[in-house]
Amino acid sequence: MEELLLQMKINYYPICPQPELALGVEAHTDVSSLTFLLHNMVPGLQLFYGGKWITAKCVPDSILMHVGDTIEILSNGKYKSILHRGLVNKEKVRISWAVFCEPPKEKIILKPIPELVTETEPALFPPRTFAQHIQHKLFRKTQEALLSS
């Protein structure tokens, strides 16, 4: 447990007179193992599910939790990293506090748990450190942006 890294990010979304023209945070998955999210009861978190964007309900005194890339890798894709985005609001300021639980950057190799890899279900992810996974994800995104421009 002493190796687990916890990072907090505070997202502040000001009132936006034309929310249909703006996006608070673009669609992404989190590199973390788990993400815990607190909110100020203003809707705006959307999850991509069943081919469409679904707005998460704001439940009083709740903490939202979702799976990140690390759990998807360890589970060999059995648990999916959640594609999500943040929207702005026309009438209210939206604030969220995200806490990301991450493995050590270099000390362990992320790869599917051996019991979940078989001849019929081969490893879907190559072994790499958490730092290498972050670099791969950022580099891939940069490459995709360059190819589409």
Side-chain angles (χ1 to χ4, degrees), residues 9-28:
K9 179 180 178 186
I10 301 170
N11 297 300
Y12 176 84
Y13 307 88
I15 294 171
C16 181
Q18 295 179 294
E20 65 281 357
L21 299 178
L23 191 59
V25 175
E26 67 179 338
H28 66 284

Side-chain angles (χ1 to χ4, degrees), residues 126-144:
R128 51 172 73 117
T129 65
F130 185 62
Q132 289 169 328
H133 172 66
I134 293 169
Q135 289 298 343
H136 169 76
K137 191 168 182 175
L138 293 174
F139 179 73
R140 187 183 73 218
K141 188 173 182 178
T142 301
Q143 287 292 93
E144 289 170 358

Side-chain angles (χ1 to χ4, degrees), residues 92-145:
K92 295 180 181 177
V93 166
R94 182 170 168 261
I95 303 173
S96 65
W97 296 263
V99 176
F100 305 98
C101 302
E102 300 176 350
K105 296 263 191 270
E106 300 288 348
K107 282 195 172 185
I108 64 166
I109 301 296
L110 291 180
K111 61 183 180 180
I113 296 169
E115 292 82 3
L116 299 176
V117 177
T118 65
E119 282 188 30
T120 57
E121 293 184 20
L124 299 175
F125 306 93
R128 51 172 73 117
T129 65
F130 185 62
Q132 289 169 328
H133 172 66
I134 293 169
Q135 289 298 343
H136 169 76
K137 191 168 182 175
L138 293 174
F139 179 73
R140 187 183 73 218
K141 188 173 182 178
T142 301
Q143 287 292 93
E144 289 170 358

Side-chain angles (χ1 to χ4, degrees), residues 69-82:
D69 295 351
T70 302
I71 296 293
E72 182 170 0
I73 293 167
L74 294 173
S75 73
N76 203 29
K78 299 216 181 315
Y79 295 101
K80 301 292 184 196
S81 188
I82 304 298

